[in-house]
């Protein structure tokens, strides 16, 4: 316990070939600090922090960021790498990263393998808060699981708080979010006004997650050069919010494509988009190529399954089979049990291909 940083362990690792290597079965139990209740680490100028095995944080807390871990990794060649499982149980912070707050910049990299967060709490990113600032790379390659994590702001499970250009995020392992809560994205929040490359390539499931915008996932993007590739199957089950019971998307000038199937079951919203809420503006585009299935989705006002808004020359395209089963709106004056579309401005389009049922 400390009033400073690193309740259990504080490390400064600076300079090329400087390295801290931590072996298997490191446990931090009931540790607390200002930044990094369990571990606080600063990695600079080509240094490395390597975890060769599993590392566990139980009941750790911080007054600001990183209930379990607070880490900053900066400069070319600098690396944080977790080769085993990184787990957080009942960890919390007042500001960001109930489990971990991870920052990076200036060509540094952070590589995670398996991540498990249970009962973590924070103001932003209750499980993980990831804050890349410039020319950095972030990866989760193993399974990432978030259960009963709760944020009072963005990202009940994970929040990606993008702070600069040329960020690459690779989420290649299976991801699951169960009973998570966050105002903007009950499960995951990924928002950016900068150029980013984002890849989500494995199964991503959201169950019983809630939020104000995006019960499962919240994704507002507004840079013309942003490249998003979501090739994994997305599944939303019994998720709810005010707008976008399962998924909330907003693009302004950027392009977003989903090449695999997306499933929505028993999702609901208070106002619009029981399953999906999607907005395109300023010639932005959203493409759903792999088909979508909506089962028993509902809203009180507009779009029991989908609320779609296209303006200022933007385009939303639905290819493949799009199936609606028992999707409803509840309030007189609303409408669109399946789809509610608002299309305004020259060149704005909603294109629905073959196979809508």
């Amino acid at each position: 316990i400390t009033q400073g940083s690193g309740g259990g362990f504080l490390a400064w690792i600076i300079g090329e070939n400087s390295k801290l290597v931590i072996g298997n079965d490191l446990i931090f139990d009931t540790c607390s600090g200002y930044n990094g209740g369990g571990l606080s680490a600063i990695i600079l100028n080509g240094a490395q922090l390597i975890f060769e095995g599993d590392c566990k944080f139980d009941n750790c807390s911080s007054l600001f960021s990183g209930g379990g871990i607070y880490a900053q990794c900066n400069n070319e060649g600098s690396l944080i790498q977790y080769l085993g499982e990184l787990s957080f149980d009942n960890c919390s912070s007042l500001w960001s990263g109930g489990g971990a707050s991870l920052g990076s910049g200036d060509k540094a990299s952070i590589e995670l393998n398996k991540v498990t967060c249970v009962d973590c709490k924070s103001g932003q990113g209750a499980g993980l808060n990831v804050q890349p600032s410039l020319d950095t790379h972030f990866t989760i390659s193993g399974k990432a699981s978030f259960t009963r994590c709760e944020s009072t702001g963005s990202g009940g499970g994970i929040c990606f708080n993008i702070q600069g250009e040329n960020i690459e995020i690779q989420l290649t392992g299976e991801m699951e979010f169960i009973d998570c809560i966050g105002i903007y994205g009950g499960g995951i929040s990924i928002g950016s006004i900068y150029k980013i490359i984002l890849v989500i390539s494995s199964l991503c499931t959201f169950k019983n997650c809630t939020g104000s915008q995006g019960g499962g996932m919240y994704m507002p993007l507004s840079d013309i050069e942003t490249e998003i590739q979501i090739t994994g199957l997305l599944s939303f089950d019994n998720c709810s919010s005010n707008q976008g019971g399962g998924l909330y998307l907003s693009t302004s000038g950027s392009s977003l494509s989903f090449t695999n199937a997306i499933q929505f079951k028993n999702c609901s919203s208070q106002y619009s988009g029981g399953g999906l809420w999607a907005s395109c503006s300023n010639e932005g585009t959203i493409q759903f190529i792999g088909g979508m299935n909506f089962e028993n989705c509902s809203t009180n006002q507009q779009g029991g399954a989908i609320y779609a808004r296209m303006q200022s020359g933007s385009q939303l395209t639905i290819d493949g089979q799009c199936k609606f089963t028992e999707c409803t709106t509840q309030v007189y004056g609303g409408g669109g049990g399946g789809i509610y579309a608002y299309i305004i401005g020259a060149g704005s389009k909603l294109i629905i291909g073959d196979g809508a049922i």
Side-chain angles (χ1 to χ4, degrees), residues 236-257:
F236 301 88
D237 185 357
N238 197 39
C239 295
S240 61
S241 73
N242 290 335
Q243 295 176 306
L247 176 59
Y248 179 102
L249 303 172
S250 175
T251 66
S252 176
S254 54
S255 296
L256 178 60
S257 66

Side-chain angles (χ1 to χ4, degrees), residues 230 232-236 247 257-264 276 287-294 306 317-324 353-356:
I230 300 179
L233 187 148
L234 299 183
S235 175
F236 301 88
L247 176 59
S257 66
F258 298 81
T259 59
N260 209 328
I262 307 179
Q263 301 174 355
F264 300 87
L276 167 67
Q287 276 190 304
F288 298 98
I289 299 170
M292 291 191 288
N293 183 55
F294 297 86
I306 299 174
T317 303
I318 301 174
D319 284 332
Q321 186 180 81
C322 188
K323 185 177 181 180
F324 305 94
D354 297 334

Side-chain angles (χ1 to χ4, degrees), residues 284-325:
T285 63
I286 300 177
Q287 276 190 304
F288 298 98
I289 299 170
M292 291 191 288
N293 183 55
F294 297 86
E295 181 181 345
N296 195 34
C297 294
S298 64
T299 184
N300 285 342
Q301 295 187 11
Q302 299 168 334
I306 299 174
Y307 174 91
R309 181 185 181 96
M310 290 68 63
Q311 58 188 19
S312 305
S314 61
Q315 180 174 306
L316 190 149
T317 303
I318 301 174
D319 284 332
Q321 186 180 81
C322 188
K323 185 177 181 180
F324 305 94
T325 304

